Amino acid sequence: MVPRKTTLPKKGLALNPGGAGPAKAHIKKPTPWKNYLVKFGFYAGIVGIWELVCLLGIWPPHILPSPVSVALTLYRGFEDKSLLVGIGVSMQRLVIGYSISVVLGVTIGLFLGRIKYLEHSLGSAVLGIQTLPSICWVPVATLWFGFGQVAIAFVVVIGSLFVIVISTQDGVKHIPPLLVKNARLLGIEGWRLYWEVILPGALPTIVTGMKLGWSFAWRSLMGGELLFAKLGLGHLLNQGRVANDTSLLFAVMVVIVAIGLMVDHLIFAVAERSIKRRWGLLVEEH
Amino acid sequence: MIDKSPLVEMAKGPSPVGAARRATPTLSRPIKLRLTGVSKAFRSANGNTTLALQDINFEVREGEFVCILGPSGCGKTTLLNIIAGLDRAGCGDVLCNGRRVKGPGMDRIVMFQESVLFPWLTACKNIEIGLKSKGLSKAARTVKAMDFLRLVHLSKFANAHPHELSGGMRQRVALARSLAMEPEILLMDEPFTALDAQTRWILHYELQNIWEKTGKTVIFVTHNIREAVCLADRVIVLSSRPGRIKREYKIDLPRPRDDGSVEVAALSTEILAILRDEIEKVMREELDEGSCKECDVKCVGVTPDNSNPK
């Protein structure tokens, strides 16, 4: 048997001395090793089948590169730093664009959720524009800002902004009205109301929106880079296409997936979990 | 008898404010709140207007514990909201400390049926956030919040988040928060209704004890007759819609009272007799016109299912 390892939330459970009181404890059960094994087995199986298909030689290597050649390309890419530079440049663009869109999106969303007139005017516009795939903004962006960093940032912002706006607005609208009423009775007004009540009240939903926004930003960035940017992972993809280097394409795609998973697991999943726990929204976990 | 209970001992402890207040007879104390001719009508979606409150007049003196008792839908909560400034009276005047009530203010804090604590803040921070509005420094806020947590016997749980507390504990934090704001009048809107009987019983003791200690002016809305008799100096009975003051009772029983004691039960029965007509009226309105008549039900204790054999 696996020893039962329990991780206690740092702040939330430093109470309940002597087990007094019916306070609920949220003890995170460890993920069973079995689950990891199943996961690992699944991916190993896929790579195995992939390699097998390649060995059978049904398709030429420039159509379907073998996992080994993709791994080699990855290795070479990291060795000559071309992939590292690509990752660095892309991440920098992403972080800049995404930060702008979080700040802007949350601010707009907070007001949209609170002010009826804004909701009916700007809110409906946001809903409409949101249906536009972010890649559609690329031509406009290049005309307005040229083929530079600003255009990329614009595409990233416009791609991720609206989903953050909408989830923030949604989060604000789902704060129990009594909570806001009571805040007023306690003399919490104006900026304090937004900063100390509305924002934290909507935070669980905002984080979900931020997570979505991140993946939207990532997609917009790749679209933009693929079409017009220098350097960056999207640019590498384009290079691979021009050079007919399929294993480079696969290698870059693997990198993109890996970064996506890492950010999701290490940042958003952790943030979402800890916020939901603290807010008391997480009753049972496994 | 339950006289040996620690809660009773607690309640019997020294209470400087309470003792001083007890020394002055109620009528010679200053008037904290005065309602004159307060009425309120609501317009429903189909355009009909319903009169919720009609010509409510009463005054509450400093340090008094007044219960407003009435059947469901009689406008008790509306009345409380008007006093709190969360709702406007259709006509009439509400004067708090001689000043007309125009909106919510920190001199009138409301405690609701739900605790309405901020889920992301600890018990202590939930109290501090209100004190911040009063301009206290960070250190002073913490000290005061802890003082009031101690008053409701929850200092051990200062760092607990609301979801880690039981319903009764949450209500005690809410009570501590309301008291820490040091309002002129504490308004309580059925604060114990959602709790189980034992917790309610304990909180009745605790509230009486705290009230004796702090000498706060309290207006407590409830539909629970025993609760009203158990807690109040004075019970104002409202009639069913439109809410009018039907009768007032002065409760002179010694404190701390127990909601199961014989005296409380006797008085409750007396008030129930008055209220019964009102409850029946509500039931008649809620049930089909005919069903009540044809079965000749005394509607008290009869569920609509029994009386409506369809």
Short mmCIF file of all heavy atoms in Angstrom, two decimals, chain A residues 8-39:
data_model
loop_
_atom_site.label_atom_id
_atom_site.label_comp_id
_atom_site.label_asym_id
_atom_site.label_seq_id
_atom_site.Cartn_x
_atom_site.Cartn_y
_atom_site.Cartn_z
N LEU A 8 -1.99 19.37 4.02
CA LEU A 8 -2.96 20.28 4.62
C LEU A 8 -2.80 21.65 4.01
O LEU A 8 -1.68 22.09 3.79
CB LEU A 8 -2.72 20.37 6.13
CG LEU A 8 -2.99 19.10 6.92
CD1 LEU A 8 -2.64 19.33 8.37
CD2 LEU A 8 -4.44 18.69 6.79
N PRO A 9 -3.91 22.30 3.73
CA PRO A 9 -3.80 23.69 3.27
C PRO A 9 -3.16 24.51 4.37
O PRO A 9 -3.49 24.36 5.55
CB PRO A 9 -5.25 24.09 3.04
CG PRO A 9 -6.06 23.08 3.75
CD PRO A 9 -5.26 21.83 3.81
N LYS A 10 -2.25 25.38 3.97
CA LYS A 10 -1.42 26.06 4.97
C LYS A 10 -2.23 26.90 5.94
O LYS A 10 -2.12 26.76 7.13
CB LYS A 10 -0.42 26.96 4.25
CG LYS A 10 1.00 26.45 4.48
CD LYS A 10 1.98 27.46 3.95
CE LYS A 10 3.37 26.85 3.93
NZ LYS A 10 4.20 27.45 2.91
N LYS A 11 -3.06 27.80 5.35
CA LYS A 11 -3.70 28.77 6.22
C LYS A 11 -5.03 28.26 6.76
O LYS A 11 -5.35 28.44 7.92
CB LYS A 11 -3.96 30.06 5.44
CG LYS A 11 -3.33 31.24 6.12
CD LYS A 11 -3.64 32.47 5.32
CE LYS A 11 -3.55 33.72 6.15
NZ LYS A 11 -3.81 34.88 5.33
N GLY A 12 -5.75 27.58 5.87
CA GLY A 12 -7.12 27.25 6.17
C GLY A 12 -7.32 26.34 7.36
O GLY A 12 -8.34 26.38 8.01
N LEU A 13 -6.31 25.52 7.67
CA LEU A 13 -6.59 24.52 8.67
C LEU A 13 -5.74 24.63 9.92
O LEU A 13 -5.64 23.70 10.68
CB LEU A 13 -6.44 23.14 8.06
CG LEU A 13 -7.69 22.33 8.39
CD1 LEU A 13 -8.66 22.36 7.24
CD2 LEU A 13 -7.34 20.94 8.80
N ALA A 14 -5.20 25.78 10.14
CA ALA A 14 -4.37 25.94 11.33
C ALA A 14 -5.24 26.22 12.54
O ALA A 14 -4.85 26.87 13.47
CB ALA A 14 -3.40 27.09 11.12
N LEU A 15 -6.47 25.72 12.48
CA LEU A 15 -7.41 26.03 13.55
C LEU A 15 -8.00 24.74 14.04
O LEU A 15 -7.42 23.70 13.85
CB LEU A 15 -8.53 26.88 12.96
CG LEU A 15 -9.02 26.27 11.68
CD1 LEU A 15 -10.40 25.77 11.83
CD2 LEU A 15 -8.93 27.30 10.61
N ASN A 16 -9.15 24.85 14.62
CA ASN A 16 -9.82 23.66 15.05
C ASN A 16 -8.97 22.90 16.06
O ASN A 16 -8.75 21.71 15.92
CB ASN A 16 -10.09 22.78 13.84
CG ASN A 16 -11.37 22.01 14.06
OD1 ASN A 16 -11.94 22.09 15.14
ND2 ASN A 16 -11.80 21.25 13.07
N PRO A 17 -8.48 23.56 17.10
CA PRO A 17 -7.60 22.89 18.04
C PRO A 17 -8.36 21.80 18.77
O PRO A 17 -9.49 22.00 19.18
CB PRO A 17 -7.17 24.01 18.98
CG PRO A 17 -8.19 25.08 18.82
CD PRO A 17 -8.80 24.94 17.48
N GLY A 18 -7.68 20.70 18.91
CA GLY A 18 -8.30 19.59 19.63
C GLY A 18 -9.50 19.03 18.93
O GLY A 18 -10.29 18.29 19.50
N GLY A 19 -9.65 19.37 17.67
CA GLY A 19 -10.76 18.83 16.89
C GLY A 19 -12.11 19.34 17.36
O GLY A 19 -13.13 18.76 17.07
N ALA A 20 -12.11 20.44 18.11
CA ALA A 20 -13.38 20.96 18.60
C ALA A 20 -14.15 21.62 17.47
O ALA A 20 -13.56 22.15 16.54
CB ALA A 20 -13.13 21.98 19.70
N GLY A 21 -15.44 21.56 17.56
CA GLY A 21 -16.26 22.23 16.55
C GLY A 21 -16.41 21.38 15.32
O GLY A 21 -15.54 20.57 15.00
N PRO A 22 -17.52 21.57 14.64
CA PRO A 22 -17.79 20.72 13.49
C PRO A 22 -17.17 21.25 12.21
O PRO A 22 -17.70 21.04 11.14
CB PRO A 22 -19.32 20.76 13.43
CG PRO A 22 -19.67 22.09 14.00
CD PRO A 22 -18.56 22.52 14.89
N ALA A 23 -16.04 21.97 12.32
CA ALA A 23 -15.43 22.54 11.14
C ALA A 23 -15.08 21.46 10.14
O ALA A 23 -14.60 20.39 10.51
CB ALA A 23 -14.18 23.32 11.52
N LYS A 24 -15.35 21.76 8.88
CA LYS A 24 -15.04 20.79 7.85
C LYS A 24 -13.56 20.82 7.54
O LYS A 24 -12.97 21.86 7.43
CB LYS A 24 -15.83 21.13 6.58
CG LYS A 24 -17.22 20.58 6.58
CD LYS A 24 -17.95 21.01 5.33
CE LYS A 24 -18.48 22.41 5.50
NZ LYS A 24 -19.01 23.00 4.31
N ALA A 25 -12.97 19.69 7.39
CA ALA A 25 -11.55 19.64 7.01
C ALA A 25 -11.46 19.23 5.56
O ALA A 25 -12.15 18.34 5.11
CB ALA A 25 -10.83 18.64 7.89
N HIS A 26 -10.62 19.93 4.84
CA HIS A 26 -10.41 19.56 3.45
C HIS A 26 -9.06 18.91 3.35
O HIS A 26 -8.04 19.57 3.27
CB HIS A 26 -10.46 20.77 2.55
CG HIS A 26 -11.76 21.50 2.69
ND1 HIS A 26 -12.96 20.86 2.55
CD2 HIS A 26 -12.04 22.77 2.99
CE1 HIS A 26 -13.93 21.73 2.74
NE2 HIS A 26 -13.39 22.89 3.02
N ILE A 27 -9.03 17.65 3.38
CA ILE A 27 -7.76 16.96 3.28
C ILE A 27 -7.63 16.41 1.88
O ILE A 27 -8.48 15.67 1.40
CB ILE A 27 -7.67 15.84 4.34
CG1 ILE A 27 -7.66 16.49 5.71
CG2 ILE A 27 -6.43 15.02 4.11
CD1 ILE A 27 -7.94 15.55 6.83
N LYS A 28 -6.56 16.84 1.23
CA LYS A 28 -6.36 16.44 -0.15
C LYS A 28 -5.78 15.04 -0.17
O LYS A 28 -4.71 14.79 0.38
CB LYS A 28 -5.41 17.42 -0.83
CG LYS A 28 -5.29 17.21 -2.29
CD LYS A 28 -4.26 18.15 -2.86
CE LYS A 28 -3.78 17.63 -4.17
NZ LYS A 28 -2.51 18.20 -4.55
N LYS A 29 -6.52 14.16 -0.77
CA LYS A 29 -5.98 12.80 -0.88
C LYS A 29 -4.89 12.79 -1.93
O LYS A 29 -4.99 13.48 -2.95
CB LYS A 29 -7.10 11.86 -1.30
CG LYS A 29 -8.07 11.54 -0.19
CD LYS A 29 -9.04 10.47 -0.66
CE LYS A 29 -10.35 10.58 0.07
NZ LYS A 29 -11.47 10.18 -0.74
N PRO A 30 -3.84 12.02 -1.71
CA PRO A 30 -2.78 11.99 -2.71
C PRO A 30 -3.28 11.28 -3.96
O PRO A 30 -4.10 10.37 -3.88
CB PRO A 30 -1.68 11.17 -2.03
CG PRO A 30 -2.40 10.35 -1.02
CD PRO A 30 -3.58 11.14 -0.58
N THR A 31 -2.80 11.75 -5.12
CA THR A 31 -3.18 11.07 -6.35
C THR A 31 -2.55 9.67 -6.33
O THR A 31 -1.36 9.55 -6.14
CB THR A 31 -2.65 11.84 -7.56
OG1 THR A 31 -2.88 13.21 -7.35
CG2 THR A 31 -3.31 11.40 -8.83
N PRO A 32 -3.34 8.66 -6.52
CA PRO A 32 -2.77 7.31 -6.45
C PRO A 32 -1.74 7.11 -7.58
O PRO A 32 -1.89 7.65 -8.66
CB PRO A 32 -3.98 6.41 -6.68
CG PRO A 32 -5.16 7.26 -6.48
CD PRO A 32 -4.76 8.66 -6.76
N TRP A 33 -0.71 6.36 -7.24
CA TRP A 33 0.33 6.08 -8.23
C TRP A 33 -0.24 5.41 -9.45
O TRP A 33 0.25 5.57 -10.56
CB TRP A 33 1.42 5.20 -7.59
CG TRP A 33 2.24 5.98 -6.63
CD1 TRP A 33 2.20 5.91 -5.27
CD2 TRP A 33 3.20 6.98 -6.96
NE1 TRP A 33 3.07 6.81 -4.73
CE2 TRP A 33 3.70 7.48 -5.74
CE3 TRP A 33 3.67 7.52 -8.16
CZ2 TRP A 33 4.66 8.47 -5.70
CZ3 TRP A 33 4.63 8.50 -8.11
CH2 TRP A 33 5.11 8.97 -6.89
N LYS A 34 -1.31 4.68 -9.20
CA LYS A 34 -1.97 3.96 -10.29
C LYS A 34 -2.35 4.92 -11.42
O LYS A 34 -2.11 4.65 -12.59
CB LYS A 34 -3.24 3.33 -9.75
CG LYS A 34 -3.26 1.82 -9.80
CD LYS A 34 -4.59 1.47 -9.29
CE LYS A 34 -5.17 0.17 -9.37
NZ LYS A 34 -6.40 0.11 -8.58
N ASN A 35 -2.91 6.09 -11.03
CA ASN A 35 -3.33 7.06 -12.04
C ASN A 35 -2.15 7.51 -12.89
O ASN A 35 -2.26 7.64 -14.11
CB ASN A 35 -3.95 8.28 -11.38
CG ASN A 35 -5.35 7.98 -10.88
OD1 ASN A 35 -5.78 6.83 -10.97
ND2 ASN A 35 -6.02 8.98 -10.37
N TYR A 36 -1.01 7.76 -12.22
CA TYR A 36 0.18 8.19 -12.97
C TYR A 36 0.62 7.08 -13.90
O TYR A 36 1.03 7.33 -15.04
CB TYR A 36 1.31 8.54 -12.00
CG TYR A 36 1.08 9.86 -11.31
CD1 TYR A 36 1.08 9.97 -9.93
CD2 TYR A 36 0.86 11.01 -12.06
CE1 TYR A 36 0.87 11.17 -9.30
CE2 TYR A 36 0.64 12.24 -11.45
CZ TYR A 36 0.66 12.31 -10.06
OH TYR A 36 0.43 13.52 -9.45
N LEU A 37 0.56 5.86 -13.39
CA LEU A 37 0.98 4.71 -14.20
C LEU A 37 0.12 4.61 -15.45
O LEU A 37 0.63 4.42 -16.57
CB LEU A 37 0.86 3.42 -13.38
CG LEU A 37 2.16 2.95 -12.72
CD1 LEU A 37 1.91 1.71 -11.89
CD2 LEU A 37 3.22 2.69 -13.78
N VAL A 38 -1.20 4.75 -15.25
CA VAL A 38 -2.12 4.66 -16.38
C VAL A 38 -1.79 5.73 -17.41
O VAL A 38 -1.69 5.48 -18.61
CB VAL A 38 -3.58 4.81 -15.90
CG1 VAL A 38 -4.52 5.00 -17.07
CG2 VAL A 38 -3.98 3.60 -15.08
N LYS A 39 -1.55 6.95 -16.90
CA LYS A 39 -1.23 8.07 -17.78
C LYS A 39 0.04 7.77 -18.57
O LYS A 39 0.09 7.90 -19.80
CB LYS A 39 -1.02 9.32 -16.91
CG LYS A 39 -1.69 10.56 -17.48
CD LYS A 39 -1.44 11.73 -16.57
CE LYS A 39 -2.70 12.54 -16.37
NZ LYS A 39 -2.54 13.61 -15.40
#
